[in-house]
Amino acid sequence: MTQVELPKHAKFLIIGAGIHGLSTAWRLGEHLQNAPGDNSIILLDKTGIAAGASGIACGVVRNNYFQPAMCELMEHSVSVWESDPQGFSYNPVGYMQISHEGMHEDVASIHQHHRDTGYPSEFIEGINESATYMRSFFDDWQATGITSVLHEHRGGYANNLASIQGLARKAQTVDARIHTGVTVTGFIAESTSGSIHAVETDAGTITCEQVVVAVGPWIKSIWDMLDLPKSVTVKDSSGKVHGGIPTWRYWCLQEGVLGVDPDFQKTNAGDMPPVVHVDTDAPLHSDIDGRLITDKPWGVYYKPDFHFHGIQGGAMPYPVDKPADDVTVDPYGPESPEFIVGEDFADMWCSGLAFCQKRFKGQRPKFRSEPSGGLGCFTPDNFPVFDKFRENVYVIADSNHGYKMIGVGHLVANELLGETQRLLEPFRFSRYERGELHPVSNSPFPWS
């Protein structure tokens, strides 16, 4: 979109044209389109629609969380994806969590939560039973160390860029105005209340009544501009208090593409497959030379991708070996070479695919490092923060759970209009000091 002269005022000023900013604008517009008065919704992005994490996300949509609060939030989000599959370029093919015995109890509890809420899923238990079930989909299935399969019949994946563009069209249809190529440079606060009176940008200053921050991995830079806490006090499950925990830290997200036809992963029946996520404690050996890659629990996920034209997926992220204050590069920019996915990941991921299915044997030379993954900005407990600060600033900090959570914007919009949302209550910033943390599973992925 061509940048135009910015308005002088907005009732709602949203920063970030990704999944959360656009979904919030869409929902606000739906509520306010025919309401009297000034209900202007202005959305700013320093680059463009889906230029950051939302535009290169893996696109997986799932309700596979050990934490009850996350499960409820995800079920709501899956319903939003299902409300317009074509408009969101959404493929409701389902999702498979395939696990080793160390995760059995955790995954069983997820299935029980699904049963309690009426969310359709199937739970297969046992080594032989799991292998038979998987071979009913893929006759070349050969993964070992697997004792359970949780198959969500809802969920699946969306084509990321197309889905965000579809969301932008919905927001514009209800009169939200999107201005790209506009960088936020500061905030002007009221001297008495501390609330934000105006937002400064490189294209001018806009006064506003409400600010929504939905900037994904750039959250720390906006957080610092707002002079919000650089560290938090956390009370753990035993009641012990830990002070001085950094508010933000970065993990490098490892994803890539195998350059084969997306149809390469079709099921025995010739259908497009569910998303496959495998966590196992079986040793992983290189598909190239047989060397041991790891003898500790590991995981991979993969699915067809029609944007990158191949099989796309990833593995466990790793923490960036420096404090968040020292990470100054653009998380998705070309000037961040130290965070590009390396050969170690490519070997591990491709070997993981071959470990799971015979069809991937010898496919390592077709690996491509695409603009996928990048840096994720995580909270102290790796779960989102949805809360109000400075009286009129609403922060959506997804801690890298973002893309699948399309429904969060709807809930945030409702809160902005005065309706407290029960599904967002477990994600308030104050949970750290209160010791109301989310339970942690045995998954090797930090966001589980």
Side-chain angles (χ1 to χ4, degrees):
M1 293 185 183
T2 303
Q3 182 179 328
V4 298
E5 183 179 353
L6 292 181
K8 300 299 182 184
H9 177 77
K11 181 167 185 176
F12 297 96
L13 182 61
I14 302 172
I15 307 171
I19 191 83
H20 298 310
L22 290 167
S23 58
T24 302
W26 171 34
R27 184 63 166 180
L28 282 171
E30 283 187 324
H31 279 304
L32 300 174
Q33 192 174 25
N34 298 315
D38 174 19
N39 295 312
S40 56
I41 304 165
I42 304 298
L43 194 149
L44 307 178
D45 195 282
K46 69 174 185 175
T47 307
I49 295 170
S54 296
I56 64 171
C58 185
V60 172
V61 175
R62 61 182 173 91
N63 181 17
N64 185 262
Y65 278 91
F66 176 63
Q67 301 74 23
M70 290 294 292
C71 259
E72 286 195 274
L73 191 57
M74 290 306 169
E75 183 169 352
H76 165 71
S77 287
V78 170
S79 296
V80 176
W81 284 109
E82 292 171 338
S83 69
D84 187 2
Q86 183 175 357
F88 293 136
S89 194
Y90 174 56
N91 302 279
V93 294
Y95 176 92
M96 288 179 165
Q97 170 68 59
I98 303 154
S99 309
H100 62 95
E101 187 59 25
M103 293 178 59
H104 191 140
E105 185 177 345
D106 291 351
V107 179
S109 72
I110 298 172
H111 178 59
Q112 184 60 52
H113 187 82
H114 288 170
R115 293 181 65 182
D116 292 344
T117 60
Y119 186 85
S121 68
E122 193 169 354
F123 190 46
I124 293 85
E125 301 176 88
I127 295 173
N128 294 334
E129 292 83 355
S130 296
T132 298
Y133 188 77
M134 292 307 301
R135 288 178 189 139
S136 72
F137 290 89
F138 309 109
D139 56 16
D140 64 337
W141 185 262
Q142 60 183 9
T144 59
I146 301 303
T147 65
S148 69
V149 178
L150 177 59
H151 184 181
E152 292 181 41
H153 297 295
R154 293 171 67 185
Y157 63 92
N159 299 313
N160 48 8
L161 189 58
S163 66
I164 304 303
Q165 291 170 339
L167 192 54
R169 288 191 291 272
K170 288 180 181 293
Q172 290 169 315
T173 298
V174 291
D175 298 330
R177 287 178 283 169
I178 303 171
H179 298 277
T180 60
V182 179
T183 300
V184 171
T185 58
F187 297 89
I188 301 174
E190 296 283 0
S191 57
T192 53
S193 67
S195 62
I196 298 303
H197 166 70
V199 176
E200 298 175 309
T201 80
D202 59 359
T205 298
I206 309 176
T207 60
C208 56
E209 298 177 33
Q210 175 72 53
V211 179
V212 179
V213 177
V215 294
W218 288 274
I219 178 60
K220 184 184 177 300
S221 61
I222 300 295
W223 185 269
D224 289 346
M225 287 182 198
L226 290 165
D227 197 27
L228 296 174
K230 297 182 183 300
S231 64
V232 297
T233 297
V234 178
K235 181 189 291 185
D236 65 25
S237 57
S238 70
K240 186 176 180 180
V241 175
H242 307 266
I245 305 298
T247 306
W248 307 108
R249 57 207 173 94
Y250 290 96
W251 289 64
C252 186
L253 312 173
Q254 303 187 97
E255 294 183 348
V257 176
L258 196 65
V260 297
D261 191 303
D263 287 348
F264 189 74
Q265 178 60 1
K266 278 190 173 179
T267 66
N268 299 340
D271 299 325
M272 295 311 294
V275 177
V276 174
H277 181 137
V278 177
D279 290 319
T280 181
D281 57 1
L284 178 63
H285 294 269
S286 169
D287 186 46
I288 299 173
D289 56 22
R291 76 187 187 283
L292 179 67
I293 293 177
T294 183
D295 58 1
K296 295 179 172 56
W298 57 273
V300 294
Y301 52 91
Y302 56 100
K303 46 81 176 171
D305 191 284
F306 294 91
H307 175 69
F308 290 122
H309 306 292
I311 303 298
Q312 195 265 356
M316 298 87 66
Y318 63 86
V320 175
D321 190 22
K322 59 173 63 178
D325 284 340
D326 292 340
V327 178
T328 57
V329 297
D330 183 337
Y332 294 88
E335 67 274 30
S336 55
E338 63 184 306
F339 303 120
I340 291 176
V341 169
E343 293 297 311
D344 288 347
F345 162 74
D347 290 345
M348 180 270 171
W349 186 65
C350 292
S351 296
L353 300 188
F355 173 94
C356 295
Q357 295 180 248
K358 292 177 184 177
R359 71 190 69 183
F360 294 113
K361 182 74 176 174
Q363 299 291 332
R364 167 66 176 86
K366 297 178 182 177
F367 176 84
R368 300 199 312 263
S369 182
E370 296 282 358
S372 180
L375 285 184
C377 193
F378 287 75
T379 62
D381 62 353
N382 299 327
F383 290 103
V385 167
F386 309 125
D387 211 345
K388 183 185 287 188
F389 300 85
R390 302 291 296 263
E391 291 197 10
N392 66 334
V393 177
Y394 202 109
V395 172
I396 303 174
D398 59 36
S399 196
N400 207 63
H401 297 268
Y403 182 88
K404 66 183 76 67
M405 302 172 78
I406 193 172
V408 166
H410 278 204
L411 300 173
V412 168
N414 292 342
E415 290 209 322
L416 293 173
L417 297 174
E419 300 177 13
T420 300
Q421 300 296 296
R422 180 184 63 82
L423 294 183
L424 298 182
E425 285 293 322
F427 302 97
R428 307 306 189 195
F429 191 66
S430 59
R431 71 177 184 266
Y432 299 118
E433 288 195 355
R434 296 197 311 265
E436 297 176 0
L437 305 181
H438 298 279
V440 179
S441 76
N442 290 305
S443 168
F445 290 82
W447 45 72
S448 296

